[in-house]
Amino acid sequence: MAKLTLTDVTKRFNDGGDDIVAVDEASIDIDDGEFIVLVGPSGCGKSTTLRMIAGLESVTEGTISLDGAAINNRKPADRDIAMVFQSYALYPHMTVRENMSFGLEESTDLPDDEIRERVEDAAHMMGIGDLLDRKPGELSGGQQQRVALGRAIVRDPSVFLMDEPLSNLDAKLRAQMRTELQRIQEDLGVTTVYVTHDQTEAMTMGDRVAILNDGKLQQVATPLEAYHEPANQFVASFVGEPSMNFFETEFQDDRLVHDNFEYPLTEDVREKLGDTGHVTLGIRPEDIELVDTVDGDHDFRTVVDVVEPVGSGNNVYLAFEGTEGDTTELDLDESDIEGESRTFVATIGGLRQVEAGQPAIARIPEEAIHLFDSDTGQALRNRSLENAELVEPQV
Ligand code: ATP
């Protein structure tokens, strides 16, 4: 077990032309036993970061250390790190048992008995104890992934690195493996860095998530902090499904002025804005309420554009009444509208019936809004969690 630290780690590739900065001064402290998820869109530098930790890619600048000792120049085999790949990377001509024991036979002088015991324990833990004599070609994708994970477990490493290990599995199996992997990681207590582009996976699995964009670390936080207290607009939009709604506004006197609405702010909130002029208002879909009557300055007349039922709830796409998104009055082609989306989305309970074309009143409560500097994207004010409820069963 180990504490893994990245200090100002940069990776530049040079393909003959300009340098590509794949990772730009990333610093993360990963605690002993922690499960951290590196998440971000395609090409943001996740795999490169992982490969530098594994020693498969050199570090251009900065330091990677394990328990305080720099490992930049240590060979991959000497790092005491086990990596699991998306492709499983199993040897096709070897049985499951051979695949799992191969690394130990090559890199340690453990006696055969102990190797056998470790392989059998790991196979049992991964639920593949009865598959030890099969070859990878005789296994399903899910079983092959279990073998790949089992092979990492037998090595009893200080750190696990996992690069999208579940992405070849179908949705149901993926969800099941997520929970299983979390349990195993917790039982083993091995420091783990897990890469995914899937924000749901990141939010459900990580003790903390490290969100990357364009080689730059945007925020390292617990999943709930990233969701409710995003450092910037990128994090706010990346985390959460459906995504947070954003409206570009001008801050004038005591209110935010948008093309389609005005949103007055109380003094407490105004103070957070200082003299910022361009302010982006963000609101999560589940924080928008559909109410019966207009009862204040934060209730807006809208028209339902599309309803997407998702079983437990409905995603209701709304357009401000009388705007280009309100297709009940205007005959506009989608391509006529540029920039910000013409609709915004609210999620409501699955048993509430709403229909396209119907008028609706959307309440955007001030305690739930996020405000960002439109020029820099930095968060100026996040949702208030003062009214968050702690569930305490009465015994
Ligand atoms: P994905 O989710 O698509 O795998 P990623 O977040 O893992 O993406 P990386 O594979 O780390 O992203 O790539 C980061 C950037 O570095 C990309 O712009 C990529 O094109 C570039 N890159 C990666 N490897 C090399 C290489 N060997 N030579 C040149 N550029 C590279």
Side-chain angles (χ1 to χ4, degrees):
M1 275 176 266
K3 187 171 154 50
L4 178 67
T5 311
L6 275 66
T7 312
D8 297 330
V9 171
T10 295
K11 176 67 188 179
R12 274 191 291 274
F13 288 108
N14 192 302
D15 60 358
D18 290 342
D19 274 356
I20 296 165
V21 184
V23 180
D24 197 1
E25 298 191 6
S27 295
I28 320 176
D29 277 324
I30 305 166
D31 277 340
D32 186 16
E34 192 177 12
F35 193 131
I36 195 148
V37 180
L38 291 184
V39 65
S42 184
C44 70
K46 308 179 290 291
S47 297
T48 305
T49 306
L50 209 65
R51 290 170 60 79
M52 285 191 285
I53 300 171
L56 302 174
E57 206 75 76
S58 62
V59 175
T60 312
E61 273 160 35
T63 311
I64 299 179
S65 48
L66 261 184
D67 282 333
I71 57 166
N72 290 35
N73 298 322
R74 226 183 263 177
K75 283 194 216 131
D78 299 335
R79 292 190 181 201
D80 198 16
I81 284 174
M83 186 150 169
V84 181
F85 299 90
Q86 177 181 350
S87 62
Y88 316 141
L90 301 175
Y91 299 108
H93 58 286
M94 290 186 187
T95 62
V96 168
R97 184 188 294 280
E98 287 162 349
N99 262 290
M100 288 174 70
S101 43
F102 183 68
L104 287 185
E105 285 164 359
E106 291 295 299
S107 63
T108 67
D109 40 20
L110 288 174
D112 288 353
D113 281 358
E114 172 145 8
I115 293 183
R116 191 175 325 114
E117 199 175 312
R118 279 214 210 171
V119 166
E120 284 171 9
D121 283 352
H124 179 71
M125 192 180 266
M126 293 310 304
I128 48 169
D130 51 348
L131 304 176
L132 284 169
D133 297 322
R134 292 213 204 153
K135 299 228 169 108
E138 299 164 330
L139 302 176
S140 70
Q143 289 166 333
Q144 290 185 41
Q145 189 51 277
R146 284 168 191 271
V147 178
L149 291 163
R151 184 175 56 178
I153 291 170
V154 290
R155 294 201 27 212
D156 190 21
S158 299
V159 178
F160 282 136
L161 302 179
M162 303 193 183
D163 196 354
E164 308 241 8
L166 307 183
S167 55
N168 289 346
L169 307 180
D170 67 52
K172 199 157 182 189
L173 191 54
R174 200 160 63 221
Q176 183 192 332
M177 285 294 285
R178 267 184 215 151
T179 331
E180 219 172 298
L181 249 182
Q182 264 175 298
R183 181 183 52 74
I184 289 169
Q185 192 272 344
E186 227 170 274
D187 286 353
L188 297 173
V190 178
T191 313
T192 301
V193 187
Y194 185 104
V195 158
T196 180
H197 63 274
D198 178 347
Q199 60 92 26
T200 313
E201 201 155 284
M203 295 292 281
T204 52
M205 292 185 83
D207 293 327
R208 285 188 302 160
V209 291
I211 299 147
L212 274 164
N213 186 32
D214 219 2
K216 292 197 178 68
L217 209 48
Q218 306 290 310
Q219 187 169 9
V220 184
T222 65
L224 279 186
E225 279 166 2
Y227 189 81
H228 293 298
E229 293 168 357
N232 57 40
Q233 196 177 339
F234 175 82
V235 174
S237 70
F238 189 76
V239 173
E241 176 61 38
S243 228
M244 186 184 283
N245 298 290
F246 296 108
F247 303 96
E248 281 191 28
T249 72
E250 293 295 322
F251 177 32
Q252 292 174 10
D253 305 323
D254 65 342
R255 60 194 54 224
L256 299 175
V257 179
H258 180 266
D259 287 348
N260 298 329
F261 65 91
E262 292 195 4
Y263 194 96
L265 298 171
T266 51
E267 199 177 333
D268 281 358
V269 178
R270 289 201 303 268
E271 275 173 8
K272 303 273 170 65
L273 300 183
D275 55 6
T276 317
H278 303 299
V279 174
T280 300
L281 183 155
I283 180 88
R284 293 234 175 251
E286 70 273 21
D287 288 328
I288 299 177
E289 297 163 41
L290 294 189
V291 295
D292 296 331
T293 49
V294 172
D295 184 23
D297 292 338
H298 297 151
D299 293 350
F300 302 95
R301 291 188 188 280
T302 69
V303 174
V304 177
D305 185 41
V306 174
V307 181
E308 245 176 32
V310 286
S312 58
N314 288 301
N315 297 333
V316 183
Y317 291 83
L318 303 162
F320 287 98
E321 200 177 72
T323 66
E324 64 271 63
D326 175 358
T327 46
T328 54
E329 290 177 18
L330 292 157
D331 186 19
L332 271 183
D333 194 298
E334 193 89 20
S335 58
D336 292 341
I337 303 152
E338 284 182 1
E340 198 174 276
S341 169
R342 63 192 183 87
T343 58
F344 60 104
V345 59
T347 49
I348 61 165
L351 294 177
R352 282 187 72 184
Q353 298 294 314
V354 207
E355 280 174 23
Q358 174 188 324
I361 297 163
R363 175 167 298 165
I364 302 182
E366 193 180 20
E367 81 257 14
I369 62 169
H370 296 255
L371 300 173
F372 305 93
D373 181 326
S374 305
D375 297 327
T376 64
Q378 288 308 303
L380 301 169
R381 190 262 187 188
N382 277 322
R383 185 194 206 303
S384 152
L385 293 178
E386 258 171 39
N387 298 329
E389 279 178 56
L390 179 67
V391 180
E392 279 181 304
Q394 305 290 313
V395 209

